Amino acid sequence: MNNKVLIDNLRCIPDFPKKGINFRDVTTLYKSAECVQIMLNEMEALYKDKGITKIVGIESRGFVMASALAARLGCGIVLARKPGKLPATAIKESFSKEYGVDTIEMHIDSIDENDVVLIHDDLLATGGTAMAAYRLVQHFHPKKVYVNFIIEITDEGLHGRDLFKGIDLTTLVTL
């Protein structure tokens, strides 16, 4: 989609969180009412007729648009969180990312086999975080799973999309 307003409002921070990483700062999109509306409108258009019943927002930036889109689509939201943040029984997945290893968790009663799930996060780089969320969601055997990101990074030799072959994946901006 590559909306010019979104691209023009996206900040790049070189060498963060470590040397060699060009961090794409989605918070500059969140602080702009115009950008928030553009993102919501584009995501709503993509998913309004898909029968989404739950949106999985990935900690923490994925929570922002997942929550807003859930309100627009009239569906629930499930939080994929860092370890120890969920109060009830949870399942977990560990994954590698571009600058380390991490784990995410979801409550064991978050999703069921009747759900149509959209996994949402702010950024697709190596794909490790979202793939871990996808594997967590698959434990519940939902009817269908979609995956969405605001930004996809391909200009630094990153090929996160390759992990999702055969999975319905969309992004709003590709860099």
Side-chain angles (χ1 to χ4, degrees), residues 75-142:
C75 64
I77 183 163
V78 174
L79 304 180
R81 302 229 39 206
K82 293 179 180 175
K85 301 288 186 178
L86 295 172
T89 305
I91 59 173
K92 65 182 173 181
E93 277 289 329
S94 293
F95 59 96
S96 297
K97 54 187 187 178
E98 59 272 28
Y99 45 85
V101 176
D102 212 341
T103 301
I104 58 170
E105 298 181 340
M106 291 172 46
H107 281 135
I108 60 168
D109 60 353
S110 298
I111 296 169
D112 66 43
E113 66 278 351
N114 295 312
D115 283 317
V116 176
V117 177
L118 171 62
I119 298 169
H120 172 76
D121 203 1
D122 65 325
L123 182 90
L124 173 60
T126 63
T129 308
M131 182 48 70
Y134 181 82
R135 288 191 305 264
L136 281 175
V137 168
Q138 289 301 98
H139 285 285
F140 300 102
H141 307 289

Short mmCIF file of all heavy atoms in Angstrom, two decimals, residues 75-142:
data_model
loop_
_atom_site.label_atom_id
_atom_site.label_comp_id
_atom_site.label_asym_id
_atom_site.label_seq_id
_atom_site.Cartn_x
_atom_site.Cartn_y
_atom_site.Cartn_z
N CYS A 75 -14.66 -7.19 17.32
CA CYS A 75 -14.15 -8.49 17.75
C CYS A 75 -13.35 -8.33 19.03
O CYS A 75 -13.13 -7.22 19.50
CB CYS A 75 -13.30 -9.11 16.64
SG CYS A 75 -11.80 -8.20 16.22
N GLY A 76 -12.90 -9.45 19.56
CA GLY A 76 -12.11 -9.43 20.79
C GLY A 76 -10.63 -9.23 20.50
O GLY A 76 -10.19 -9.32 19.35
N ILE A 77 -9.88 -8.96 21.57
CA ILE A 77 -8.43 -8.82 21.46
C ILE A 77 -7.77 -9.77 22.45
O ILE A 77 -8.25 -9.94 23.58
CB ILE A 77 -7.95 -7.37 21.67
CG1 ILE A 77 -6.45 -7.27 21.47
CG2 ILE A 77 -8.40 -6.81 22.98
CD1 ILE A 77 -5.92 -5.88 21.26
N VAL A 78 -6.70 -10.39 22.00
CA VAL A 78 -5.91 -11.30 22.81
C VAL A 78 -4.51 -10.71 22.89
O VAL A 78 -3.96 -10.26 21.88
CB VAL A 78 -5.86 -12.71 22.16
CG1 VAL A 78 -4.91 -13.63 22.91
CG2 VAL A 78 -7.26 -13.30 22.07
N LEU A 79 -3.93 -10.73 24.07
CA LEU A 79 -2.59 -10.17 24.25
C LEU A 79 -1.54 -11.28 24.23
O LEU A 79 -1.64 -12.25 24.97
CB LEU A 79 -2.51 -9.42 25.58
CG LEU A 79 -3.54 -8.30 25.78
CD1 LEU A 79 -3.33 -7.64 27.14
CD2 LEU A 79 -3.49 -7.29 24.66
N ALA A 80 -0.55 -11.12 23.35
CA ALA A 80 0.64 -11.97 23.35
C ALA A 80 1.70 -11.18 24.10
O ALA A 80 2.19 -10.16 23.62
CB ALA A 80 1.08 -12.29 21.92
N ARG A 81 2.06 -11.65 25.30
CA ARG A 81 2.88 -10.86 26.22
C ARG A 81 4.20 -11.52 26.54
O ARG A 81 4.39 -12.71 26.34
CB ARG A 81 2.11 -10.66 27.53
CG ARG A 81 0.79 -9.98 27.32
CD ARG A 81 0.46 -8.82 28.17
NE ARG A 81 1.52 -7.92 28.48
CZ ARG A 81 1.55 -7.16 29.57
NH1 ARG A 81 0.59 -7.24 30.45
NH2 ARG A 81 2.53 -6.32 29.76
N LYS A 82 5.08 -10.70 27.11
CA LYS A 82 6.35 -11.21 27.61
C LYS A 82 6.08 -12.10 28.83
O LYS A 82 5.06 -11.94 29.50
CB LYS A 82 7.27 -10.04 27.97
CG LYS A 82 7.69 -9.27 26.73
CD LYS A 82 8.57 -8.10 27.07
CE LYS A 82 8.92 -7.38 25.77
NZ LYS A 82 9.68 -6.16 25.99
N PRO A 83 7.00 -12.99 29.16
CA PRO A 83 6.79 -13.93 30.27
C PRO A 83 6.49 -13.23 31.59
O PRO A 83 7.07 -12.19 31.90
CB PRO A 83 8.12 -14.69 30.36
CG PRO A 83 8.72 -14.57 29.00
CD PRO A 83 8.28 -13.23 28.48
N GLY A 84 5.56 -13.84 32.33
CA GLY A 84 5.26 -13.36 33.67
C GLY A 84 4.29 -12.19 33.73
O GLY A 84 3.99 -11.70 34.81
N LYS A 85 3.77 -11.72 32.61
CA LYS A 85 2.87 -10.57 32.59
C LYS A 85 1.40 -10.96 32.62
O LYS A 85 0.55 -10.13 32.90
CB LYS A 85 3.12 -9.71 31.34
CG LYS A 85 4.53 -9.17 31.24
CD LYS A 85 4.79 -8.10 32.24
CE LYS A 85 6.16 -7.49 32.02
NZ LYS A 85 6.43 -6.42 32.94
N LEU A 86 1.09 -12.21 32.28
CA LEU A 86 -0.30 -12.66 32.26
C LEU A 86 -0.65 -13.32 33.59
O LEU A 86 0.13 -14.14 34.09
CB LEU A 86 -0.53 -13.63 31.10
CG LEU A 86 -0.37 -13.02 29.71
CD1 LEU A 86 -0.42 -14.11 28.65
CD2 LEU A 86 -1.44 -11.98 29.45
N PRO A 87 -1.81 -13.00 34.16
CA PRO A 87 -2.13 -13.49 35.51
C PRO A 87 -2.64 -14.92 35.58
O PRO A 87 -2.55 -15.55 36.63
CB PRO A 87 -3.22 -12.51 35.97
CG PRO A 87 -3.89 -12.08 34.70
CD PRO A 87 -2.79 -12.03 33.68
N ALA A 88 -3.19 -15.46 34.48
CA ALA A 88 -3.74 -16.82 34.51
C ALA A 88 -2.78 -17.78 33.79
O ALA A 88 -1.73 -17.38 33.28
CB ALA A 88 -5.12 -16.83 33.86
N THR A 89 -3.17 -19.04 33.73
CA THR A 89 -2.34 -20.06 33.09
C THR A 89 -2.11 -19.71 31.63
O THR A 89 -3.04 -19.34 30.91
CB THR A 89 -3.01 -21.44 33.20
OG1 THR A 89 -3.27 -21.71 34.57
CG2 THR A 89 -2.12 -22.53 32.63
N ALA A 90 -0.86 -19.81 31.19
CA ALA A 90 -0.49 -19.41 29.83
C ALA A 90 0.38 -20.48 29.17
O ALA A 90 1.01 -21.29 29.84
CB ALA A 90 0.25 -18.08 29.87
N ILE A 91 0.38 -20.45 27.83
CA ILE A 91 1.34 -21.24 27.06
C ILE A 91 2.37 -20.29 26.50
O ILE A 91 2.11 -19.08 26.37
CB ILE A 91 0.65 -22.06 25.95
CG1 ILE A 91 -0.09 -21.16 24.97
CG2 ILE A 91 -0.28 -23.10 26.55
CD1 ILE A 91 -0.64 -21.87 23.76
N LYS A 92 3.56 -20.80 26.16
CA LYS A 92 4.60 -19.90 25.72
C LYS A 92 5.37 -20.47 24.53
O LYS A 92 5.38 -21.68 24.31
CB LYS A 92 5.55 -19.56 26.85
CG LYS A 92 6.35 -20.72 27.39
CD LYS A 92 7.22 -20.27 28.55
CE LYS A 92 7.89 -21.47 29.20
NZ LYS A 92 8.70 -21.09 30.33
N GLU A 93 6.01 -19.56 23.80
CA GLU A 93 6.90 -19.89 22.68
C GLU A 93 8.12 -19.00 22.78
O GLU A 93 8.00 -17.79 22.99
CB GLU A 93 6.22 -19.58 21.34
CG GLU A 93 5.31 -20.61 20.80
CD GLU A 93 5.97 -21.88 20.30
OE1 GLU A 93 7.12 -21.83 19.81
OE2 GLU A 93 5.34 -22.94 20.41
N SER A 94 9.28 -19.59 22.58
CA SER A 94 10.52 -18.81 22.50
C SER A 94 10.89 -18.63 21.04
O SER A 94 10.50 -19.43 20.19
CB SER A 94 11.65 -19.51 23.25
OG SER A 94 11.36 -19.52 24.63
N PHE A 95 11.65 -17.58 20.75
CA PHE A 95 12.00 -17.26 19.37
C PHE A 95 13.27 -16.42 19.34
O PHE A 95 13.63 -15.78 20.32
CB PHE A 95 10.86 -16.50 18.68
CG PHE A 95 10.50 -15.21 19.36
CD1 PHE A 95 11.04 -14.01 18.93
CD2 PHE A 95 9.65 -15.19 20.45
CE1 PHE A 95 10.72 -12.81 19.57
CE2 PHE A 95 9.32 -14.01 21.09
CZ PHE A 95 9.85 -12.81 20.65
N SER A 96 13.92 -16.44 18.18
CA SER A 96 15.08 -15.58 17.95
C SER A 96 14.63 -14.35 17.21
O SER A 96 13.73 -14.42 16.36
CB SER A 96 16.12 -16.32 17.10
OG SER A 96 16.59 -17.44 17.78
N LYS A 97 15.23 -13.22 17.52
CA LYS A 97 14.97 -12.01 16.77
C LYS A 97 16.30 -11.38 16.38
O LYS A 97 17.36 -11.91 16.73
CB LYS A 97 14.06 -11.05 17.51
CG LYS A 97 14.48 -10.68 18.91
CD LYS A 97 13.38 -9.88 19.56
CE LYS A 97 13.81 -9.34 20.90
NZ LYS A 97 12.79 -8.54 21.51
N GLU A 98 16.24 -10.27 15.67
CA GLU A 98 17.46 -9.72 15.09
C GLU A 98 18.53 -9.36 16.10
O GLU A 98 19.69 -9.24 15.76
CB GLU A 98 17.15 -8.53 14.16
CG GLU A 98 16.43 -7.38 14.81
CD GLU A 98 14.92 -7.49 14.79
OE1 GLU A 98 14.36 -8.60 14.79
OE2 GLU A 98 14.27 -6.44 14.83
N TYR A 99 18.16 -9.21 17.40
CA TYR A 99 19.16 -8.84 18.39
C TYR A 99 18.99 -9.60 19.70
O TYR A 99 19.18 -9.07 20.77
CB TYR A 99 19.17 -7.32 18.63
CG TYR A 99 17.81 -6.70 18.79
CD1 TYR A 99 17.17 -6.68 20.01
CD2 TYR A 99 17.15 -6.15 17.70
CE1 TYR A 99 15.92 -6.12 20.15
CE2 TYR A 99 15.90 -5.58 17.84
CZ TYR A 99 15.29 -5.56 19.06
OH TYR A 99 14.04 -5.02 19.19
N GLY A 100 18.62 -10.90 19.59
CA GLY A 100 18.55 -11.71 20.80
C GLY A 100 17.49 -12.79 20.75
O GLY A 100 16.95 -13.11 19.70
N VAL A 101 17.20 -13.38 21.90
CA VAL A 101 16.19 -14.42 22.05
C VAL A 101 15.15 -13.93 23.04
O VAL A 101 15.49 -13.26 24.02
CB VAL A 101 16.82 -15.74 22.55
CG1 VAL A 101 15.76 -16.80 22.80
CG2 VAL A 101 17.85 -16.24 21.56
N ASP A 102 13.89 -14.26 22.80
CA ASP A 102 12.81 -13.81 23.68
C ASP A 102 11.73 -14.87 23.73
O ASP A 102 11.80 -15.88 23.04
CB ASP A 102 12.24 -12.48 23.18
CG ASP A 102 11.75 -11.58 24.31
OD1 ASP A 102 11.51 -12.09 25.43
OD2 ASP A 102 11.59 -10.38 24.08
N THR A 103 10.71 -14.64 24.54
CA THR A 103 9.58 -15.55 24.71
C THR A 103 8.30 -14.72 24.79
O THR A 103 8.30 -13.62 25.32
CB THR A 103 9.74 -16.37 26.01
OG1 THR A 103 10.96 -17.10 25.94
CG2 THR A 103 8.60 -17.33 26.23
N ILE A 104 7.22 -15.27 24.23
CA ILE A 104 5.91 -14.65 24.41
C ILE A 104 4.94 -15.70 24.93
O ILE A 104 5.15 -16.89 24.75
CB ILE A 104 5.35 -13.99 23.12
CG1 ILE A 104 5.25 -14.99 21.99
CG2 ILE A 104 6.17 -12.77 22.74
CD1 ILE A 104 4.49 -14.45 20.78
N GLU A 105 3.88 -15.21 25.57
CA GLU A 105 2.88 -16.08 26.18
C GLU A 105 1.47 -15.59 25.85
O GLU A 105 1.27 -14.40 25.60
CB GLU A 105 3.02 -16.09 27.70
CG GLU A 105 4.34 -16.61 28.21
CD GLU A 105 4.42 -16.61 29.73
OE1 GLU A 105 3.66 -15.88 30.41
OE2 GLU A 105 5.27 -17.36 30.24
N MET A 106 0.53 -16.53 25.89
CA MET A 106 -0.90 -16.22 25.77
C MET A 106 -1.65 -17.07 26.78
O MET A 106 -1.23 -18.20 27.08
CB MET A 106 -1.41 -16.53 24.36
CG MET A 106 -0.87 -15.62 23.30
SD MET A 106 -1.29 -16.13 21.60
CE MET A 106 -3.00 -16.51 21.72
N HIS A 107 -2.76 -16.54 27.28
CA HIS A 107 -3.60 -17.34 28.17
C HIS A 107 -4.11 -18.57 27.43
O HIS A 107 -4.43 -18.50 26.23
CB HIS A 107 -4.81 -16.52 28.66
CG HIS A 107 -4.48 -15.58 29.76
ND1 HIS A 107 -4.92 -14.29 29.78
CD2 HIS A 107 -3.74 -15.74 30.90
CE1 HIS A 107 -4.49 -13.69 30.88
NE2 HIS A 107 -3.77 -14.56 31.56
N ILE A 108 -4.25 -19.67 28.16
CA ILE A 108 -4.68 -20.92 27.53
C ILE A 108 -6.15 -20.91 27.09
O ILE A 108 -6.56 -21.76 26.32
CB ILE A 108 -4.43 -22.15 28.44
CG1 ILE A 108 -5.19 -22.03 29.75
CG2 ILE A 108 -2.94 -22.33 28.67
CD1 ILE A 108 -5.21 -23.31 30.56
N ASP A 109 -6.91 -19.93 27.56
CA ASP A 109 -8.32 -19.85 27.16
C ASP A 109 -8.59 -18.67 26.22
O ASP A 109 -9.71 -18.20 26.09
CB ASP A 109 -9.21 -19.75 28.40
CG ASP A 109 -8.92 -18.53 29.26
OD1 ASP A 109 -7.93 -17.80 28.99
OD2 ASP A 109 -9.67 -18.30 30.24
N SER A 110 -7.56 -18.21 25.51
CA SER A 110 -7.67 -17.01 24.67
C SER A 110 -8.46 -17.21 23.39
O SER A 110 -9.14 -16.30 22.93
CB SER A 110 -6.27 -16.52 24.27
OG SER A 110 -5.53 -16.16 25.39
N ILE A 111 -8.32 -18.36 22.78
CA ILE A 111 -8.83 -18.62 21.44
C ILE A 111 -9.44 -20.01 21.44
O ILE A 111 -9.00 -20.89 22.19
CB ILE A 111 -7.67 -18.54 20.42
CG1 ILE A 111 -7.10 -17.12 20.39
CG2 ILE A 111 -8.11 -18.97 19.02
CD1 ILE A 111 -5.79 -16.98 19.63
N ASP A 112 -10.44 -20.23 20.58
CA ASP A 112 -10.95 -21.59 20.42
C ASP A 112 -11.08 -21.93 18.93
O ASP A 112 -10.81 -21.09 18.07
CB ASP A 112 -12.26 -21.80 21.19
CG ASP A 112 -13.42 -20.99 20.67
OD1 ASP A 112 -13.61 -20.89 19.44
OD2 ASP A 112 -14.18 -20.45 21.50
N GLU A 113 -11.52 -23.14 18.67
CA GLU A 113 -11.56 -23.63 17.29
C GLU A 113 -12.58 -22.92 16.40
O GLU A 113 -12.53 -23.05 15.18
CB GLU A 113 -11.81 -25.15 17.27
CG GLU A 113 -13.17 -25.58 17.78
CD GLU A 113 -13.28 -25.68 19.31
OE1 GLU A 113 -12.26 -25.57 20.01
OE2 GLU A 113 -14.41 -25.84 19.80
N ASN A 114 -13.47 -22.15 16.97
CA ASN A 114 -14.45 -21.39 16.18
C ASN A 114 -13.95 -20.00 15.80
O ASN A 114 -14.62 -19.30 15.05
CB ASN A 114 -15.77 -21.27 16.95
CG ASN A 114 -16.41 -22.62 17.14
OD1 ASN A 114 -16.52 -23.40 16.21
ND2 ASN A 114 -16.80 -22.91 18.38
N ASP A 115 -12.80 -19.61 16.29
CA ASP A 115 -12.29 -18.26 16.04
C ASP A 115 -11.61 -18.13 14.68
O ASP A 115 -10.99 -19.08 14.18
CB ASP A 115 -11.31 -17.84 17.13
CG ASP A 115 -11.99 -17.44 18.42
OD1 ASP A 115 -13.01 -16.72 18.35
OD2 ASP A 115 -11.51 -17.85 19.50
N VAL A 116 -11.74 -16.93 14.13
CA VAL A 116 -10.96 -16.49 12.97
C VAL A 116 -10.05 -15.41 13.52
O VAL A 116 -10.52 -14.39 14.04
CB VAL A 116 -11.86 -15.95 11.84
CG1 VAL A 116 -11.01 -15.41 10.70
CG2 VAL A 116 -12.81 -17.05 11.36
N VAL A 117 -8.75 -15.63 13.44
CA VAL A 117 -7.77 -14.83 14.17
C VAL A 117 -6.92 -13.99 13.23
O VAL A 117 -6.45 -14.47 12.20
CB VAL A 117 -6.85 -15.76 15.01
CG1 VAL A 117 -5.78 -14.96 15.73
CG2 VAL A 117 -7.68 -16.57 16.00
N LEU A 118 -6.72 -12.73 13.62
CA LEU A 118 -5.76 -11.86 12.97
C LEU A 118 -4.64 -11.59 13.96
O LEU A 118 -4.90 -11.08 15.07
CB LEU A 118 -6.41 -10.53 12.56
CG LEU A 118 -5.46 -9.44 12.06
CD1 LEU A 118 -4.73 -9.88 10.81
CD2 LEU A 118 -6.23 -8.15 11.82
N ILE A 119 -3.42 -11.93 13.61
CA ILE A 119 -2.25 -11.61 14.43
C ILE A 119 -1.72 -10.29 13.91
O ILE A 119 -1.50 -10.13 12.71
CB ILE A 119 -1.17 -12.71 14.31
CG1 ILE A 119 -1.71 -14.03 14.84
CG2 ILE A 119 0.10 -12.28 15.05
CD1 ILE A 119 -0.82 -15.23 14.54
N HIS A 120 -1.51 -9.33 14.82
CA HIS A 120 -1.05 -8.00 14.41
C HIS A 120 0.16 -7.57 15.23
O HIS A 120 0.18 -7.72 16.45
CB HIS A 120 -2.14 -6.94 14.56
CG HIS A 120 -1.62 -5.56 14.33
ND1 HIS A 120 -1.36 -5.07 13.08
CD2 HIS A 120 -1.24 -4.61 15.21
CE1 HIS A 120 -0.86 -3.85 13.20
NE2 HIS A 120 -0.77 -3.55 14.48
N ASP A 121 1.15 -7.02 14.52
CA ASP A 121 2.28 -6.38 15.18
C ASP A 121 2.69 -5.17 14.35
O ASP A 121 2.25 -5.01 13.21
CB ASP A 121 3.45 -7.34 15.35
CG ASP A 121 4.39 -6.95 16.49
OD1 ASP A 121 4.14 -5.94 17.18
OD2 ASP A 121 5.39 -7.65 16.70
N ASP A 122 3.54 -4.34 14.93
CA ASP A 122 3.92 -3.12 14.24
C ASP A 122 4.91 -3.35 13.11
O ASP A 122 4.87 -2.68 12.10
CB ASP A 122 4.49 -2.10 15.23
CG ASP A 122 5.80 -2.54 15.88
OD1 ASP A 122 5.96 -3.76 16.13
OD2 ASP A 122 6.65 -1.68 16.14
N LEU A 123 5.81 -4.35 13.26
CA LEU A 123 6.94 -4.43 12.34
C LEU A 123 7.31 -5.88 12.03
O LEU A 123 7.40 -6.71 12.93
CB LEU A 123 8.15 -3.75 13.00
CG LEU A 123 9.41 -3.70 12.17
CD1 LEU A 123 9.43 -2.43 11.32
CD2 LEU A 123 10.62 -3.72 13.08
N LEU A 124 7.53 -6.15 10.76
CA LEU A 124 8.06 -7.44 10.32
C LEU A 124 9.50 -7.23 9.87
O LEU A 124 9.75 -6.51 8.90
CB LEU A 124 7.23 -8.02 9.17
CG LEU A 124 7.78 -9.28 8.50
CD1 LEU A 124 7.90 -10.43 9.50
CD2 LEU A 124 6.89 -9.68 7.33
N ALA A 125 10.44 -7.83 10.58
CA ALA A 125 11.87 -7.76 10.21
C ALA A 125 12.32 -9.20 9.94
O ALA A 125 12.19 -9.69 8.83
CB ALA A 125 12.68 -7.09 11.30
N THR A 126 12.78 -9.90 10.96
CA THR A 126 13.18 -11.30 10.79
C THR A 126 11.98 -12.24 10.87
O THR A 126 12.06 -13.37 10.42
CB THR A 126 14.22 -11.72 11.84
OG1 THR A 126 13.62 -11.63 13.13
CG2 THR A 126 15.46 -10.85 11.75
N GLY A 127 10.90 -11.79 11.51
CA GLY A 127 9.68 -12.58 11.60
C GLY A 127 9.58 -13.49 12.81
O GLY A 127 8.57 -14.14 13.00
N GLY A 128 10.60 -13.53 13.63
CA GLY A 128 10.62 -14.45 14.76
C GLY A 128 9.49 -14.25 15.76
O GLY A 128 8.87 -15.21 16.21
N THR A 129 9.22 -13.01 16.12
CA THR A 129 8.18 -12.72 17.11
C THR A 129 6.81 -13.14 16.59
O THR A 129 6.06 -13.83 17.27
CB THR A 129 8.16 -11.21 17.45
OG1 THR A 129 9.48 -10.80 17.81
CG2 THR A 129 7.19 -10.92 18.58
N ALA A 130 6.50 -12.72 15.39
CA ALA A 130 5.18 -13.03 14.82
C ALA A 130 5.02 -14.53 14.57
O ALA A 130 3.93 -15.08 14.75
CB ALA A 130 4.95 -12.23 13.56
N MET A 131 6.09 -15.20 14.16
CA MET A 131 6.00 -16.64 13.94
C MET A 131 5.77 -17.36 15.27
O MET A 131 5.03 -18.33 15.33
CB MET A 131 7.24 -17.17 13.24
CG MET A 131 7.18 -18.67 12.94
SD MET A 131 5.65 -19.29 12.16
CE MET A 131 5.76 -18.60 10.53
N ALA A 132 6.38 -16.88 16.34
CA ALA A 132 6.11 -17.46 17.66
C ALA A 132 4.64 -17.27 18.02
O ALA A 132 3.99 -18.18 18.53
CB ALA A 132 7.02 -16.84 18.72
N ALA A 133 4.10 -16.08 17.75
CA ALA A 133 2.67 -15.82 18.00
C ALA A 133 1.82 -16.74 17.14
O ALA A 133 0.80 -17.29 17.60
CB ALA A 133 2.33 -14.36 17.74
N TYR A 134 2.20 -16.93 15.89
CA TYR A 134 1.47 -17.82 15.00
C TYR A 134 1.46 -19.24 15.55
O TYR A 134 0.42 -19.91 15.57
CB TYR A 134 2.09 -17.77 13.59
CG TYR A 134 1.38 -18.65 12.60
CD1 TYR A 134 0.21 -18.22 11.97
CD2 TYR A 134 1.85 -19.92 12.30
CE1 TYR A 134 -0.45 -19.03 11.07
CE2 TYR A 134 1.20 -20.74 11.41
CZ TYR A 134 0.05 -20.29 10.79
OH TYR A 134 -0.62 -21.10 9.89
N ARG A 135 2.62 -19.71 16.01
CA ARG A 135 2.69 -21.06 16.58
C ARG A 135 1.81 -21.17 17.83
O ARG A 135 1.15 -22.20 18.04
CB ARG A 135 4.13 -21.44 16.89
CG ARG A 135 4.96 -21.73 15.65
CD ARG A 135 6.31 -22.36 15.97
NE ARG A 135 7.12 -21.60 16.90
CZ ARG A 135 8.07 -20.73 16.55
NH1 ARG A 135 8.34 -20.50 15.28
NH2 ARG A 135 8.76 -20.10 17.48
N LEU A 136 1.79 -20.13 18.66
CA LEU A 136 0.91 -20.13 19.83
C LEU A 136 -0.55 -20.24 19.40
O LEU A 136 -1.31 -21.05 19.93
CB LEU A 136 1.09 -18.86 20.65
CG LEU A 136 2.30 -18.79 21.57
CD1 LEU A 136 2.40 -17.42 22.22
CD2 LEU A 136 2.25 -19.87 22.63
N VAL A 137 -0.95 -19.43 18.43
CA VAL A 137 -2.34 -19.44 17.95
C VAL A 137 -2.70 -20.82 17.39
O VAL A 137 -3.80 -21.32 17.61
CB VAL A 137 -2.56 -18.32 16.91
CG1 VAL A 137 -3.89 -18.49 16.19
CG2 VAL A 137 -2.49 -16.95 17.58
N GLN A 138 -1.78 -21.45 16.69
CA GLN A 138 -2.04 -22.77 16.09
C GLN A 138 -2.36 -23.83 17.15
O GLN A 138 -3.07 -24.79 16.87
CB GLN A 138 -0.87 -23.22 15.23
CG GLN A 138 -0.74 -22.42 13.93
CD GLN A 138 -1.98 -22.50 13.07
OE1 GLN A 138 -2.82 -21.62 13.09
NE2 GLN A 138 -2.11 -23.57 12.32
N HIS A 139 -1.88 -23.65 18.39
CA HIS A 139 -2.21 -24.59 19.47
C HIS A 139 -3.71 -24.66 19.70
O HIS A 139 -4.21 -25.68 20.19
CB HIS A 139 -1.53 -24.17 20.79
CG HIS A 139 -0.08 -24.44 20.84
ND1 HIS A 139 0.46 -25.70 21.02
CD2 HIS A 139 0.99 -23.61 20.72
CE1 HIS A 139 1.77 -25.64 21.01
NE2 HIS A 139 2.13 -24.37 20.83
N PHE A 140 -4.44 -23.61 19.37
CA PHE A 140 -5.87 -23.54 19.61
C PHE A 140 -6.70 -24.06 18.44
O PHE A 140 -7.92 -24.15 18.55
CB PHE A 140 -6.28 -22.08 19.92
CG PHE A 140 -5.59 -21.52 21.13
CD1 PHE A 140 -4.51 -20.65 20.98
CD2 PHE A 140 -6.00 -21.84 22.41
CE1 PHE A 140 -3.88 -20.11 22.09
CE2 PHE A 140 -5.37 -21.32 23.52
CZ PHE A 140 -4.30 -20.45 23.36
N HIS A 141 -6.09 -24.33 17.30
CA HIS A 141 -6.76 -24.85 16.11
C HIS A 141 -7.92 -23.97 15.63
O HIS A 141 -9.03 -24.46 15.42
CB HIS A 141 -7.26 -26.28 16.35
CG HIS A 141 -6.19 -27.20 16.85
ND1 HIS A 141 -5.16 -27.64 16.05
CD2 HIS A 141 -5.97 -27.74 18.07
CE1 HIS A 141 -4.36 -28.42 16.76
NE2 HIS A 141 -4.82 -28.49 17.99
N PRO A 142 -7.69 -22.66 15.46
CA PRO A 142 -8.76 -21.79 14.97
C PRO A 142 -9.12 -22.11 13.52
O PRO A 142 -8.36 -22.77 12.81
CB PRO A 142 -8.16 -20.39 15.10
CG PRO A 142 -6.69 -20.61 14.92
CD PRO A 142 -6.41 -21.94 15.57
#
